[in-house]
Amino acid sequence: MTPILIIDLQTGMFDGVNEPPIHDADNLVARTRAVMAWARAAGHPVAFVRHDGRPGDGLAPGKPGWPVWPALGQGQDEPTFSKSVGDAFSNPELGAWIDARGAGEVVLLGAQTDQCVAATVTGALAAGLKVTVVADAHGTWDWNGETAPQIIARHNTAFAQAGARVVSTAELTGG
């Protein structure tokens, strides 16, 4: 079964302590939870990726912003893979976990669209995996004159052009 990878949806993305909550935070959580419920019901393995920020960063290990966002409801049997760069596939344990499931494809969602999601799409494709990106279940912040929705749309187009399948939560889950 195709693994679902939830990238960097950590407390610091939502709690508003170090920066405003990520764009459309409540809907991002709801869509992520919908994908997780569908995956669990269909027998797809779910894993989380957590960014380990540098010391002093809000996402540094042990900081309040570092844990996976509790509202997602991570299951005890759902592993967390750490990384300190954008590409989740920089952690060989993630690749080994996917290989152990005999998976040739992954489904990606999470944050940050223009950083770690984009890098992980590239890393997964470079690893020879088929990639599905959930178009409405990854997010970012307004940046450099672009709104978050513009950044998300631009990256969804780029993901498709790179060879990823890009679908909505409803298309993926049938809901």
Side-chain angles (χ1 to χ4, degrees):
M1 294 297 266
T2 302
I4 312 303
L5 302 182
I6 301 165
I7 304 165
D8 298 355
L9 291 184
Q10 294 165 250
T11 299
M13 303 289 181
F14 299 96
D15 66 5
V17 172
N18 290 316
E19 55 193 317
I22 196 164
H23 170 74
D24 202 21
D26 291 342
N27 285 321
L28 178 58
V29 169
R31 290 183 196 110
T32 300
R33 289 180 58 88
V35 170
M36 291 168 60
W38 166 81
R40 291 168 177 158
H44 293 276
V46 175
F48 291 76
V49 176
R50 182 182 58 220
H51 189 78
D52 290 350
R54 294 188 169 125
D57 184 279
L59 298 181
K63 292 285 190 178
W66 181 63
V68 169
W69 185 232
L72 296 174
Q74 180 178 11
Q76 289 185 346
D77 62 337
E78 295 169 346
T80 300
F81 296 94
S82 293
K83 64 177 183 56
S84 58
V85 297
D87 178 10
F89 286 90
S90 65
N91 182 338
E93 293 176 10
L94 174 61
W97 181 81
I98 291 167
D99 288 345
R101 274 132 199 85
E105 181 178 0
V106 291
V107 174
L108 304 177
L109 58 148
Q112 181 176 350
T113 300
D114 43 333
Q115 300 293 324
C116 298
V117 173
T120 300
V121 168
T122 299
L125 291 169
L129 296 168
K130 292 181 182 176
V131 175
T132 297
V133 177
V134 186
D136 58 356
H138 60 86
T140 192
W141 289 266
D142 295 350
W143 179 253
N144 210 22
E146 265 188 302
T147 66
Q150 290 170 327
I151 294 167
I152 292 164
R154 179 169 52 82
H155 276 82
N156 281 334
T157 299
F159 298 152
Q161 290 171 343
R165 177 176 163 238
V166 180
V167 300
S168 69
T169 299
E171 289 170 317
L172 179 69
T173 64

